[in-house]
Every structure is written in C-alpha cells, then in structure tokens.
C-alpha cells in the first residue's frame, strides 16, 4: 500500500518521501521505486525511517523539514499482523505489535504536529483497518492496535482541528499486499497439534484461504488516499473494499449477538 500510495502521490505532483526501514541494497524495496521515479521523472525520494525508533523518526522528519520547509501530508502506513491466541502470545510480542502499529504512528504524529500547527495546515492519514472496527479470533493484539489508533485519531481530531490540521482514517478490508507474507505467528505455539486452540486455528486458516481469493488491489487504497488528501473537505473515515463495506453495513444493522453469530458462521466456528 505504501508503494502504490507513494507513486500515486508523486504522479499527482506531491513531492513525496517514500520511507522504509532498509534502503539501498539493505533488502528493502527502494531500488524499484527509485527506478520508477527516475524513469518517470517523479518528485519522489526514498529515505530511511523505522517507526519503532525515536531517533530515526526525528531524523527523517527534520531532514524533510530542512529540505522542503514544510510537510503537508503524512501517511502512517507501517504495520504488520501478529497471529495467535492471546493465551499463547507473550507480552513482548504484544508490545512489539503495539510498538509498530500504534506507537509508530504516535511517534510520527508527535514529530509532525508542531510543524503543521505552525503552518496552520496539514493532513495526517492513519491507515487503520476494517480490523479497527470489528474483530476476528486469533488476532487480538492486532485488533487492539487498530482500535486504539482509531480512538486516538478521533480524539486528536478535536485537538488539532483548530490549527487547521485534518485527521483521516483509512479502513481497508482485505488487500493483496505483502501483508500475509509479513504476518508473524506467535512463537509459543511451536507444536500447533498440542494447542487448545487448534480447532479455531484450522477454521481460521480455511477462512484465510477464502479471504485471500477476494482481495482489493493496493492501488485501490492508494486512489482513495489521493482522493481524500486532495479533497477540500475530506471525511474523517474512508472504508475501502467491498468486503469492508459489506461487513460494516451488516454490523450497523445487527445486534451484537447477531453479528457475533454471523462472524462465527463465516469462520465456521
Ligand atoms: N493487507 C491488508 O489486508 C490490510 C487490511 C487493512 C489494513 N492494513 C494495514 O495497512 C498497512 C499497510 O500494510 P500492507 O497491507 O501494505 O502490508 P505490507 O505489504 O506488509 O506493508 C507493510 C509495510 O510496513 C512496513 N513496516 C513494518 N514495520 C515497520 C517499521 N518499524 N518502520 C517502518 N516501516 C515498517 C514494512 O516495511 P518493510 O519493507 O521494511 O518490512 C512494509 O512496507 C498496515 O498498517 C496494515 O495493518 C492491511
């Protein structure tokens, strides 16, 4: 999603800093994006940024501020999924999940808000998820990070609106990115056949196979982000993907119990 979003923004005239943990031969995706930027003569640069690291965030934001004198739009996209039953998840794994998905975004926001406040304008886009509105089993820390980011986004919207700063959340359903490839399994379940959660695991794994058949292309998310950040009066929330739209529609029209039963039926629990 980050890749597609960087390119669509640069192709639409935004001077774009595509950030990643590893640049230049360090195993990241910098070469491909730099080649495209060169070929198409795009206003795009790649810089190193690890959202888990205070120094890295400060250095990246300071560099952009020094080079451009302002930051108009920030997109908090870094995130991964931690999969496993809560009972079998270590506190360290949960903290690491929060470090990237939640505190990473918080770090970046704290670094850019002072500049945006002085500018009297700015847009912060937080990529949350359908999983920040509804929950599935074996993903509890992931959902916790996304629900947390949703709650934080809504709260700070009141705080920063008077300074001209807009907050937007993007809630994709399933997207065909590298998300599944980058998924981390909890480590305590070294022998899945002994887990008390093996039946839910097997249902979820079947459900994931089905889920993976109908994913939205990451470029669709990027288009929605472009539309949101170029709108004079953007919405707070953008839901992306048929699956997410349908799930939230059902959620709106059902009681807690009815929706709980629907999810169980879908997953075959
Ligand atoms: N795919 C979905 O179905 C889906 C649905 C809803 C929401 N989302 C959310 O969308 C966002 C983007 O995910 P994606 O689907 O595009 O997955 P992805 O292809 O795995 O991309 C995630 C990106 O996050 C980066 N990242 C991870 N930890 C980082 C850190 N500490 N500092 C900086 N960057 C870091 C990764 O960079 P590296 O290249 O360095 O690993 C990777 O490029 C995530 O927040 C995810 O939770 C995804």
């Amino acid at each position: 999603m980050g890749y597609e979003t960087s390119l669509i923004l640069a192709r639409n005239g935004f001077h774009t800093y595509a950030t990643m943990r590893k640049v230049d031969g360090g195993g990241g995706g910098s070469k491909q994006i730099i080649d495209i930027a060169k070929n198409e003569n795009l206003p795009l640069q790649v810089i190193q940024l690890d959202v888990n690291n205070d120094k890295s965030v400060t250095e990246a934001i300071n560099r952009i501020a020094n080079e451009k004198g302002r930051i108009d739009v920030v997109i908090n996209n870094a995130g991964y999924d931690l999969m496993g039953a809560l009972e079998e998840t270590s506190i360290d794994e949960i903290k690491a999940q929060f470090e990237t998905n939640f505190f990473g975004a918080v770090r970046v926001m704290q670094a850019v808000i002072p500049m945006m406040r002085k500018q009297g304008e700015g847009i912060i886009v937080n990529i949350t998820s359908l999983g920040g509105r509804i929950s599935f089993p074996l993903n509890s820390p992931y959902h916790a990070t996304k629900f947390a980011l949703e709650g934080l986004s809504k709260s700070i919207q009141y705080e920063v609106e008077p300074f001209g700063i807009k907050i937007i959340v993007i809630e994709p359903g399933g997207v065909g990115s590298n998300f599944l490839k980058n998924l981390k399994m909890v480590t305590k379940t070294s022998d899945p056949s002994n887990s008390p959660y093996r039946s839910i695991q097997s249902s979820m794994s079947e459900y994931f196979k089905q889920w993976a058949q109908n994913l939205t292309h990451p470029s669709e998310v990027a288009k929605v982000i472009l539309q949101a950040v170029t709108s004079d009066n953007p919405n707070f929330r953008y839901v992306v993907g048929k699956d997410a739209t349908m799930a939230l529609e059902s959620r709106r029209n059902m009681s807690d119990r009815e929706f709980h039963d629907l999810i169980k039926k879908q997953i075959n629990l």
Side-chain angles (χ1 to χ4, degrees), residues 21 51-52 76-82 96-97 99-102 104-105 127-128 142 145-146 149 177-179 182-183:
R21 285 179 290 186
V51 299
N52 293 0
N76 283 312
N77 174 66
Y80 69 91
D81 188 19
L82 173 67
Q97 172 82 119
E99 196 60 57
T100 300
N101 292 17
F102 179 73
I127 312 295
T128 59
Y142 179 78
T145 64
K146 295 296 185 180
L149 192 53
S177 59
N178 289 327
F179 192 66
N182 292 332
L183 175 150

